[in-house]
Amino acid sequence: MVELHEQLWHSGIERDRRTVQRQLEALCEHFDIECDDRNKPYGYSWKVNSGGFSLPALSEQESLLLLLAEEHLRHLLPFGVMKSLQGFFEQAKSKLGSVDRGKPAQQWLKKVRVVSPIQPTLPPKVDQTVFDATSHALYANRWLDVEYTNATGATKSASVMPLGLAQQGVRLYLVCRFAGYEQERILALHRIIVARVTARVFDRPANFDLEKYDAEGHFGFGNGKRTHLRFRTDKETGFHIVESPLNHDQQVVEEEGALVVSATVVETVQLHRWLRGFGARVWDVRFDDLSDAGEVPPAIDSLRHILS
């Protein structure tokens, strides 16, 4: 009964335990459910040999889709949603497990993989209770009381309005507004020590859009400043940039044995790091309003507000 009460709460259905118990007692009268009243709180389970509720039969393709979703979306779905889908995940595993290993559906999970474009690192440890509380508060539009450590190691407490959850590589970030402020801030989930979901609800700000927030370069330590970037590179390096353009308006011109690349981009610290990562293979870097490519952009100021 306790587990069911928690699952309902994570799904955004708030009932006190006594109400859940009364409803379970009513279900016992109509279905093959038995009550174990030897200890409190009482336990409820399907009777031996009971068929329970049958989940819809999954095809091999549906099972494959569910298992891929479980693997890659586990941190992008609310905890309650993931938990409520657990029965389908188990059925999908059972379905593919019973399929002939020579069949394509059985082999597919071994044929695909998401790989990192940079040096792989292990993800920082995120407390499961912190993730559960954070995802629930985000899902239900509830204020979240947190205790966290900043980049200097100092511990702070705050009441925040959760607005978005983003996965960047192996790290998870919470976009939020601190109580009393209108500016969005970013908290690294692994730096949150304690997270408590409150009973206080909020109306999601109409002027906040997570997709726009990302497009403005905030996760790359920027502040939305757009600039016209121009640089020279050798043909081998330029080939990869031609294949994966910086923007839709990117132009590439061959000139003096090199390629001249230009595009409109959001200026961020991440962009400067990316350019410097090419070393001597990229030179003559110019921005529309910067004379020195080595100059630190205004975007660096945003680092003071980000717990990365």
Side-chain angles (χ1 to χ4, degrees):
M1 198 270 286
V2 175
E3 183 180 355
L4 180 58
H5 180 260
E6 290 180 351
Q7 289 182 10
L8 289 171
W9 182 79
H10 283 300
S11 299
I13 303 173
E14 296 189 12
R15 300 287 188 274
D16 59 60
R17 291 189 178 183
R18 181 54 189 155
T19 299
V20 175
Q21 184 175 348
R22 285 198 302 268
Q23 293 172 338
L24 285 170
E25 289 172 353
L27 289 173
C28 287
E29 297 177 4
H30 301 282
F31 298 97
D32 291 335
I33 301 174
E34 59 183 359
C35 173
D36 182 358
D37 57 5
R38 290 174 297 179
N39 296 295
K40 291 186 177 181
Y42 295 163
Y44 295 84
S45 62
W46 290 105
K47 293 180 180 179
V48 178
N49 298 324
S50 171
F53 287 120
S54 298
L55 293 172
L58 294 174
S59 67
E60 293 178 15
Q61 292 75 18
E62 291 167 338
S63 299
L64 186 60
L65 175 63
L66 278 170
L67 293 184
L68 284 171
E70 181 187 26
E71 180 178 356
H72 297 292
L73 299 180
R74 64 175 64 252
H75 291 136
L76 298 180
L77 286 175
F79 170 73
V81 173
M82 285 294 294
K83 198 163 187 178
S84 67
L85 292 172
Q86 196 59 43
F88 289 97
F89 294 143
E90 292 300 327
Q91 187 182 5
K93 292 175 185 175
S94 176
K95 177 67 176 181
L96 286 189
S98 64
V99 172
D100 184 350
R101 292 187 179 276
K103 286 193 173 182
Q106 173 63 252
Q107 298 175 352
W108 187 255
L109 292 176
K110 299 293 185 181
K111 293 180 177 180
V112 293
R113 186 172 181 82
V114 176
V115 297
S116 174
I118 60 175
Q119 172 60 39
T121 60
L122 295 177
K125 184 174 177 57
V126 175
D127 187 289
Q128 186 63 45
T129 60
V130 167
F131 176 78
D132 296 348
T134 300
S135 65
H136 176 66
L138 178 64
Y139 184 75
N141 290 332
R142 292 185 179 273
W143 283 88
L144 189 67
D145 290 337
V146 299
E147 296 178 18
Y148 63 93
T149 56
N150 61 18
T152 65
T155 301
K156 297 185 177 183
S157 300
S159 184
V160 301
M161 176 192 295
L163 298 176
L165 190 65
Q167 182 172 343
Q168 187 180 55
V170 297
R171 296 179 175 232
L172 286 170
Y173 293 99
L174 174 69
V175 183
C176 59
R177 288 184 183 179
F178 280 53
Y181 294 87
E182 294 297 320
Q183 182 184 12
E184 287 77 32
R185 302 276 294 274
I186 298 177
L187 296 179
L189 228 63
H190 63 275
R191 295 186 187 270
I192 300 178
I193 306 169
V194 178
R196 303 183 187 90
V197 182
T198 73
R200 308 191 312 276
V201 298
F202 63 85
D203 292 326
R204 186 172 175 84
N207 62 348
F208 176 77
D209 184 283
L210 185 60
E211 182 178 357
K212 180 182 177 183
Y213 188 80
D214 179 26
E216 290 174 346
H218 292 281
F219 293 111
F221 310 122
N223 54 13
K225 177 184 175 183
R226 300 185 69 81
T227 184
H228 188 72
L229 170 67
R230 182 176 182 273
F231 61 87
R232 282 184 167 83
T233 182
D234 60 68
K235 291 185 178 181
E236 182 179 355
T237 303
F239 176 76
H240 298 289
I241 299 173
V242 170
E243 285 188 322
S244 300
L246 290 165
N247 203 347
H248 295 295
D249 68 350
Q250 175 175 294
Q251 294 184 354
V252 180
V253 179
E254 188 169 356
E255 182 179 296
E256 299 176 1
L259 297 181
V260 180
V261 181
S262 61
T264 302
V265 295
V266 176
E267 186 177 359
T268 64
V269 172
Q270 187 178 60
L271 173 63
H272 281 253
R273 290 174 178 170
W274 178 76
L275 289 167
R276 290 170 183 158
F278 289 108
R281 292 175 296 165
V282 166
W283 66 94
D284 193 19
V285 180
R286 299 179 184 178
F287 295 86
D288 58 355
D289 57 353
L290 291 178
S291 58
D292 182 1
E295 184 177 338
V296 178
I300 197 71
D301 291 337
S302 65
L303 284 171
R304 299 192 183 103
H305 306 296
I306 297 175
L307 298 178
S308 58

